[in-house]
Structure formats: C-alpha cells, structure tokens
Amino acid sequence: MDRVVLAFSKDETADKIKMMLDGSGYDVYTVCHSKAELLRTVSDMDEVLIIMGYKLPDGTVDDVYDDLMEGQKLMSIVKAERQSSIYNQDIFVVTLPLNRQLLINSVETFVGIIERRKHRAKRTPEEEKIIRDAKAYLMEIHRMSEEQAHRFIQKRSMDTGAKFIDTARMILNI
C-alpha cells in the first residue's frame, strides 16, 4: 500500500504532513479538502491509505470511515483530547505533537497491521482444519475452552517464534 491521500481542511497542515512523508517511500497521491472531494478521489482506488485530521468541513473521521470501501484504510492525526471522540476501532489514531519519525513509524506500523491481516486471511481450508483439530485436542486432553486453546497456541507460537499453523502441527505431531 504505497498510495497515500491526505485530507485536511488547511493547506498548511497538508503541506507539513506531505513534507514529513517526502522520501519515506510513501508518496502522496493528492490532497483533499472535504469529505465529498475525498470520497470522489478514492472511489476507484482499491488500496489506499487516507491520512486526515479529526474533521473536514463536511464530516468527521468517523463519517469518512463509514463511507469507505474494502481496502481503503484510514489514519487520523488528532489532538490528544480528541482521541476519545473517535468511535471506530478500525481507525488508526496518532496523537499530536507529531514529528517526521513518529509519522513514518505510525504509517509503517499501520501498513504492517494491514498486511498481517491480509496474510492471516490466506489460510487454506487444510490449515484451518489443522488449527481446529489442535484446539479440539487441547480442549479434550487439557480441558481448555476454545479461547484458552487458541491463546495457548498463540503464546507458544510467540515464545518459539514459529508460525501459528506450525505450532498447531507440532501439537498434533504432524
């Protein structure tokens, strides 16, 4: 996801963010100044990262999020006191003050989260069955709930540095 669209009502704010991103590998495609302009701009983009403040003249960050399509992700840069006003948990929030390194790290973190979610969804039906079987084994033999079994596999994976599916296979001795 290397296409970035900025949405700020003030040009000087957009210019500052654009300068911070310059040379980071994230190129700003365009700058929008209203929700309507933003939605028109991104309507034909499959994957885009939108970076905006808390609100535009015609809508808040939550309003914008509600109108986005799959693959269009939203990051909001806000004052700390505004953070609790953002209701949607899928909006990545960065609080001010902001410097170049914090912005780039935040974008990389957010893009990394998106990529991991995509990768997670690419499990084959066979892998899903192995994971279900490993959970069932733990539930039966060790009297765990499904959630406890999942967390056990997850923790073991993190402790050993193995993938979740590989840990499930080890539990089943496959």
Side-chain angles (χ1 to χ4, degrees):
M1 179 173 300
D2 43 325
R3 189 177 280 189
V4 176
V5 173
L6 301 182
F8 293 93
S9 52
K10 296 180 182 175
D11 281 326
E12 58 269 15
T13 305
D15 289 342
K16 285 179 185 176
I17 300 298
K18 192 173 183 178
M19 283 186 353
M20 286 184 198
L21 288 173
D22 190 36
S24 68
Y26 298 100
D27 295 321
V28 175
Y29 176 75
T30 192
V31 177
C32 299
H33 298 91
S34 70
K35 175 185 167 189
E37 179 187 4
L38 173 63
L39 295 176
R40 276 192 311 275
T41 301
V42 301
S43 66
D44 62 342
M45 296 180 186
D46 291 332
E47 287 195 359
V48 62
L49 172 60
I50 300 162
I51 301 175
M52 66 178 286
Y54 175 70
K55 72 181 202 177
L56 295 166
D58 53 348
T60 66
V61 66
D62 284 302
D63 297 333
V64 170
Y65 183 85
D66 290 340
D67 291 328
L68 294 180
M69 297 181 296
E70 183 86 22
Q72 298 175 338
K73 303 302 179 188
L74 187 56
M75 175 184 283
S76 183
I77 300 170
V78 298
K79 294 178 182 175
E81 60 267 17
R82 282 280 190 201
Q83 186 173 9
S84 62
S85 302
I86 298 174
Y87 299 107
N88 194 301
Q89 299 296 316
D90 291 326
I91 298 170
F92 193 89
V93 179
V94 179
T95 56
L96 294 170
L98 185 68
N99 62 40
R100 182 178 192 275
Q101 195 58 49
L102 178 60
L103 176 62
I104 292 169
N105 288 346
S106 297
V107 169
E108 288 175 352
T109 299
F110 188 43
V111 169
I113 291 168
I114 294 166
E115 293 303 317
R116 283 193 301 276
R117 285 181 184 167
K118 281 185 196 174
H119 180 71
R120 192 178 308 145
K122 293 183 181 178
R123 287 189 181 131
T124 66
E126 177 187 323
E127 290 173 332
E128 291 293 339
K129 182 177 179 348
I130 290 169
I131 291 169
R132 278 194 311 274
D133 290 349
K135 287 181 187 178
Y137 174 82
L138 291 171
M139 290 165 61
E140 182 179 326
I141 301 299
H142 297 287
R143 303 280 186 231
M144 294 181 179
S145 68
E146 183 179 3
E147 184 177 323
Q148 289 171 325
H150 180 85
R151 292 196 192 287
F152 178 85
I153 298 169
Q154 187 177 44
K155 182 168 178 6
R156 182 64 53 97
S157 297
M158 289 188 290
D159 290 347
T160 61
K163 292 183 178 179
F164 194 90
I165 184 65
D166 294 335
T167 302
R169 283 186 179 114
M170 287 187 328
I171 289 169
L172 296 172
N173 291 318
I174 298 178

